[in-house]
Amino acid sequence: MTKILIVEDEQGLVTLLSYNLEKQGYQVSVCMDGQKVMNTVAGDKPDLILMDWMLPNVSGVELCQMIRQNYETKETPIIMLTARGDEADKVKGLSQGADDYMTKPFSVPELMARIGALLRRTKTAPVRENLSCAGLEMNFATHQVTRDGEPVHMGPTEFRLLQELMQKPGHVISREELLRLVWGGSIFVELRTVDVHIKRLRAALNFGKKPDIIRTVRSAGYAIKVDA
Ligand code: CA
């Protein structure tokens, strides 16, 4: 699951951002105290940081520098949020390590689009090594899947869904997250579509009275059973 850390001291904005990010399927953590950011970042290892420019005690720019200087966090994408519309400040923020910049008040859909775009362009290369877990083998060279050595036939969407699930065996991935990962978060695809394809994937995988290998977690998402 993609983790986003919000560093912001305005409660109203934290609530608004958390609500919208969670709705998109992100896992959200919040740090309202600028002096605790480095600890939070080290502990949570977020995939992206939304950073307020104006924080009490320490500035967003200083925090950006600290994050960039730390070996563990130097590649974490950062979007700066600021009340200032000054071009010079924008340049300063970007030069200190922010990857993108938004001026308050901002449009939530635009921020979400920028977050998605930033995550896409900073994501590490997709997994190309073969995946294996719970008796399943996924071969990317041949695009074939086997269960207990026997071939499983499925369509490309089911293959992509299975790939996401197999990359994190046992982890529950939300339907929103699967929609985003497999369909690219298209606004024209409904969540129900994910369920339809999971049903097909399940039918393909559970052939010959094999035990169900996909766990459905009501209102949370889906996972590969590691002990199936
Ligand atoms: Ca602030």
Side-chain angles (χ1 to χ4, degrees), residues 8-10 52 54-55 104:
E8 170 63 72
D9 60 311
E10 287 168 51
D52 183 22
M54 297 291 280
L55 293 160
K104 298 175 191 173

Side-chain angles (χ1 to χ4, degrees), residues 11-149:
Q11 182 61 61
L13 199 49
V14 167
T15 307
L16 174 80
L17 290 171
S18 304
Y19 170 78
N20 283 284
L21 289 168
E22 280 167 2
K23 211 168 73 176
Q24 299 274 323
Y26 296 115
Q27 187 182 323
V28 176
S29 55
V30 176
C31 182
M32 298 182 76
D33 181 345
Q35 289 176 315
K36 291 183 181 156
V37 168
M38 290 314 288
N39 282 339
T40 311
V41 170
D44 280 8
K45 297 194 174 37
D47 297 291
L48 183 144
I49 302 172
L50 283 180
M51 175 84 71
D52 183 22
W53 178 288
M54 297 291 280
L55 293 160
N57 304 322
V58 55
S59 80
V61 171
E62 285 172 71
L63 289 173
C64 252
Q65 291 173 322
M66 282 156 76
I67 289 165
R68 284 291 168 261
Q69 281 159 12
N70 183 306
Y71 178 77
E72 295 249 313
T73 61
K74 63 181 168 57
E75 290 178 24
T76 309
I78 302 171
I79 297 181
M80 289 283 256
L81 303 174
T82 176
R84 312 175 184 194
D86 196 319
E87 202 60 22
D89 284 340
K90 174 176 173 173
V91 172
K92 193 175 170 195
L94 293 176
S95 70
Q96 296 309 322
D99 300 280
D100 203 352
Y101 183 99
M102 285 204 83
T103 306
K104 298 175 191 173
F106 47 80
S107 112
V108 170
E110 185 182 348
L111 178 63
M112 295 301 143
R114 281 172 184 247
I115 288 170
L118 182 54
L119 283 170
R120 273 194 297 281
R121 66 179 189 259
T122 54
K123 246 204 167 89
T124 45
V127 179
R128 280 290 164 253
E129 280 175 45
N130 296 342
L131 294 171
S132 89
C133 70
L136 292 172
E137 302 276 346
M138 177 171 272
N139 186 315
F140 288 95
T142 60
H143 248 253
Q144 276 179 342
V145 177
T146 59
R147 182 171 182 186
D148 301 332

